Amino acid sequence: MEGRPVTPVIAVGVDGSDESLQAARWAADEAVRRRVGVHLVHAWLWQPLALPVVQDRDAEARRAEDVLGEAVDELAARHPELAVTAEVVQDVPVPALLRAAGAAEMLAVGSRGHGALAGFLLGSYGQQVIAESRRPVVAVRATYGQEPARQNGEVVVGQQGGVEDSHDVLGFAFETAAARGVAVRAVRAWALPSLYAYSPGSLYLVDQAGGLEPYERAALRQAVEPWRAKYPDVAVVEHVEMGSGGQVLLSAAAGAGLVVVGRRARRSAVGTRIGSVAHAVLHHAPCPVAVVPLG
């Protein structure tokens, strides 16, 4: 099965797992709201094992086609009007999915959550795809759809830094909320820092604002203001709370339909890291999580 995507699309990595099928369902639901198509991708590369057993390349190729066919049939039944394309990409998962993401508005993948390092459908590949993608990546669990009320839940978005720092993550959140007809809850976490964490200029602004919490509230209000103007029909809740970013976001996401976080990838001795806030939310949020590249 081969097919080139229409433009624009939401790309989905599928591998036959329950998690990846739920990612495809999420993508289909979102695509209908946004009036775009869905492009399903299954990465498969014939790599015979060095074992004395019969290995059938043709059978494996048919299995790859069947994985896509099952997902296509599922989406056709779910949304008959939806434009769906699908292709088997003869490559290993990371580059195949990164290319698919690059040609799409976003990429959806299945997520098992609650795991160490990277507990996604793609195993250790999941975190690498999220860390390296130039498009938003949405992680969807196998439990998607089991709580119908979440479909109308808020879009909860983490905001940090200044207006430019959070431009892309807030833009994605507001666009998604507008397509769904739901509110945005913009969340800014703060903690009592060492005085050395602030420059003299920042300390002056804090003093002018009347203290740290009013300063943080003003910073969030300023970051959100352009998006309020662009999406006047989207209700906005500004949520400022003292605590770690991950804990505050997870608390705010109790009834959310989607959590949106930004990420700046970092290299370390154990591989690519996506930041502690994104990591915590990906593994523990009760709903799909969109990770938006910053900068």
Side-chain angles (χ1 to χ4, degrees), residues 2 32 67-69 73 92 182 186 190 195 209 222 233 239 253 265 270:
E2 293 188 8
V32 168
V67 166
L68 281 180
D73 291 345
V92 292
V182 300
W190 66 284
L195 288 177
Q222 183 180 26
D233 294 333
H239 183 128
V270 295

Side-chain angles (χ1 to χ4, degrees), residues 219-230:
L220 176 58
R221 190 178 310 115
Q222 183 180 26
V224 167
E225 189 57 38
W227 302 105
R228 282 185 182 273
K230 184 172 182 178

